[in-house]
Amino acid sequence: ILQNLWEVLTMINLIKAELFKLKRNRTFWVLMGVVTFIYGLANYLVIIDWWKMHNTGFYNIGLKEYNAMEMVKLPLIFNLIISTLAGFFINIDYTTGTIKNQILSGNERSRIYLAKLIVFSLGSVITAVILPLMTVVLETIFLGHSDIYTSERVLYLLRAFSLYTLIIIAYSSIIMMIASITKESGRTIIITIIMTIILFIIDKALIFKYEIVRTIYENTIFYQIYQAFNSSITSDEIGKNILISLATFIVISFCGSRIFEKQEIK
């Protein structure tokens, strides 16, 4: 029991240390400011009807004031947010030697990796999910559009953004693994941008030509993003969405942890 308690306390201390670094990370705060400004401006232009959008998922369920939130579905947008955070939060530990010091202090590599992943995922959710959602909620209320929040629409938003949060956490595990392999912020961002370009090509061209590509793609988190915001999603599809997100997070986290354990840290 004492051994288990010691392991839990060690893990908690590692997470606290990562949280402290996240709070002190200037890039994290700059990123929060940029995301808030961009989404705030985009939402404002939509709400005042300066930026008109039709046939969006939000528009079709009576939430046209949320049209700018279509951006959250775009892999390039949330990838830039999350990969930038990874580049200047995860990779900086390699350049400063922080990871080497953590390993030399006697902490197990798997715990170090998990602690970083937990805090990095939290930072990703804050910047890619919570801030965009908070801006549109506050703006719609302050600009006199609170009447759009019927019980049916609120339930839709809770369900959609809950599923989206799980997807972002799963995606964070992928970016974390890439960042741990590259060890450099520039490489991390470039590789993830290339990855989004490949996904765009698959989404717009290959899935219409090849059945096997479509089947594989539809069982990834990248397709499930669109399903999360589908107003007519069934309970079975919700279960599939959750399962794919959790499976992705668990498998990628395990692979990333194993790679980190065998990695040479200079």
Side-chain angles (χ1 to χ4, degrees):
I1 295 176
L2 290 176
Q3 179 65 27
N4 292 335
L5 181 60
W6 174 253
E7 290 177 358
V8 171
L9 290 174
T10 301
M11 194 66 205
I12 291 174
N13 288 333
L14 284 172
I15 293 173
K16 284 182 177 179
E18 294 300 324
L19 284 171
F20 178 78
K21 287 193 296 180
L22 181 65
K23 289 188 291 184
R24 295 288 298 272
N25 189 287
R26 292 182 180 179
T27 301
F28 175 61
W29 290 103
V30 170
L31 197 58
M32 286 178 64
V34 171
V35 169
T36 301
F37 174 77
I38 291 175
Y39 274 96
L41 178 61
N43 288 322
Y44 177 74
L45 295 177
V46 165
I47 292 171
I48 65 174
D49 281 333
W50 187 88
W51 184 10
K52 297 182 183 294
M53 301 171 66
H54 303 284
N55 262 343
T56 68
F58 293 108
Y59 183 91
N60 294 331
I61 63 169
L63 286 169
K64 67 182 183 66
E65 292 82 2
Y66 273 69
N67 280 344
M69 294 298 286
E70 286 287 309
M71 292 190 297
V72 301
K73 303 178 187 179
L74 301 176
L76 182 60
I77 299 296
F78 63 75
N79 173 72
L80 283 174
I81 296 172
I82 298 174
S83 63
T84 300
L85 179 62
F88 295 94
F89 175 64
I90 302 299
N91 291 127
I92 198 172
D93 283 353
Y94 286 94
T95 57
T96 60
T98 302
I99 285 185
K100 183 178 180 180
N101 292 333
Q102 287 178 316
I103 295 172
L104 292 176
S105 66
N107 292 302
E108 292 184 13
R109 290 197 179 198
S110 59
R111 291 176 186 167
I112 295 172
Y113 187 89
L114 181 58
K116 290 183 182 297
L117 178 57
I118 290 172
V119 176
F120 172 59
S121 298
L122 175 62
S124 298
V125 170
I126 291 172
T127 51
V129 184
I130 295 177
L131 285 180
L133 183 58
M134 282 181 61
T135 58
V136 69
V137 170
L138 292 175
E139 283 181 299
T140 50
I141 292 174
F142 289 149
L143 294 174
H145 294 272
S146 58
D147 57 309
I148 65 174
Y149 295 110
T150 63
S151 57
E152 182 180 355
R153 291 167 186 166
V154 169
L155 286 174
Y156 164 78
L157 291 172
L158 287 173
R159 185 261 295 164
F161 279 96
S162 294
L163 293 177
Y164 182 64
T165 298
L166 290 177
I167 291 169
I168 290 299
I169 291 173
Y171 187 69
S172 297
S173 67
I174 297 175
I175 301 300
M176 171 79 178
M177 184 174 71
I178 294 173
S180 298
I181 294 173
T182 63
K183 301 179 184 178
E184 292 183 11
S185 58
R187 290 181 182 179
T188 299
I189 296 172
I190 291 171
I191 289 174
T192 54
I193 289 176
I194 293 173
M195 185 172 69
T196 58
I197 293 172
I198 293 172
L199 287 170
F200 179 80
I201 294 172
I202 292 173
D203 185 29
K204 299 301 179 183
L206 298 182
I207 63 172
F208 298 108
K209 293 182 178 180
Y210 305 102
E211 179 72 25
I212 187 170
V213 175
R214 180 166 65 252
T215 302
I216 294 172
Y217 180 67
E218 289 179 354
N219 286 281
T220 66
I221 58 173
F222 305 103
Y223 174 80
Q224 293 303 318
I225 290 173
Y226 304 104
Q227 286 293 87
F229 291 94
N230 186 349
S231 59
S232 58
I233 190 172
T234 65
S235 56
D236 287 342
E237 289 170 335
I238 291 174
K240 181 180 179 180
N241 192 294
I242 295 172
L243 182 61
I244 290 173
S245 297
L246 292 177
T248 300
F249 179 79
I250 292 170
V251 171
I252 299 298
S253 298
F254 175 77
C255 292
S257 179
R258 294 290 294 173
I259 292 171
F260 182 67
E261 286 178 1
K262 297 181 180 180
Q263 201 172 47
E264 181 182 357
I265 308 295
K266 296 181 180 180

